Amino acid sequence: MSIEHLKATNLHLVTATDNKPVQSNLPEEIELEKVTPMSKASSFVEEIVVREEDKEKVKRKVFELNVLSESLKLQYTNADTNNEKRLLKKVVNNDLVKKYSLTTKLTTTLGLKGRIRNDDTVKEAKEKDNIKKIKEFFLRDDVSRATAGRNECKTLKKNKQQKRFLLDSMKNLHAKYKSEGGKDSYTTFTRYRPFYVINPTLNDRETCACA
């Protein structure tokens, strides 16, 4: 008869007089027994006596662990993004691993060492660099020309700048930008055009007081 069956039977017995459950007499260690990674490992060791007929079973277990380890290493090495690497590192950074003090050991074994850059920081830096390149492109003399009058300026959020007039259409200028190695789309290209670089219309030639 199994321990589980004994526990179930023992806990549900009642006396003939007061109809109250009889207290379990099973050993405390059986009552508190839980399946954990360590107990599973101990059970495996106890179960296996490495005789000739058991070698394949041991070999299979070790083989499976080695495949899993190498698979995680390969996935981490070939990860396309830092977010993917960060997700894989969580495998060795959780409560279960910390409980058995295996974080450092597993991190080394699985090749998950090294700090991971913050993708948001990298993305932000790249975007700032693109904005700078687009603005520099629009301010080139072969793309726009400065207005002649000192009072021809444009203001945005208290930022007052001398107007510059485009020398070609935005479509043509974007094509020129791309031909020189620019990677940004037309939408991004137009979004980051300096506000004071404009098409030379009569309305845009109106002067304003620039102190």
Side-chain angles (χ1 to χ4, degrees), residues 141-155:
D141 289 336
D142 62 330
V143 175
S144 66
R145 64 177 177 83
T147 53
R150 292 181 57 187
N151 292 332
E152 291 187 82
C153 60
K154 194 172 179 67
T155 303

Side-chain angles (χ1 to χ4, degrees), residues 125-147:
K126 184 178 179 180
E127 184 176 359
K128 286 182 178 179
D129 186 57
N130 284 350
I131 294 173
K132 180 181 177 182
K133 288 180 179 179
I134 291 174
K135 287 184 176 180
E136 289 175 348
F137 176 84
F138 276 110
L139 297 179
R140 282 167 31 181
D141 289 336
D142 62 330
V143 175
S144 66
R145 64 177 177 83
T147 53

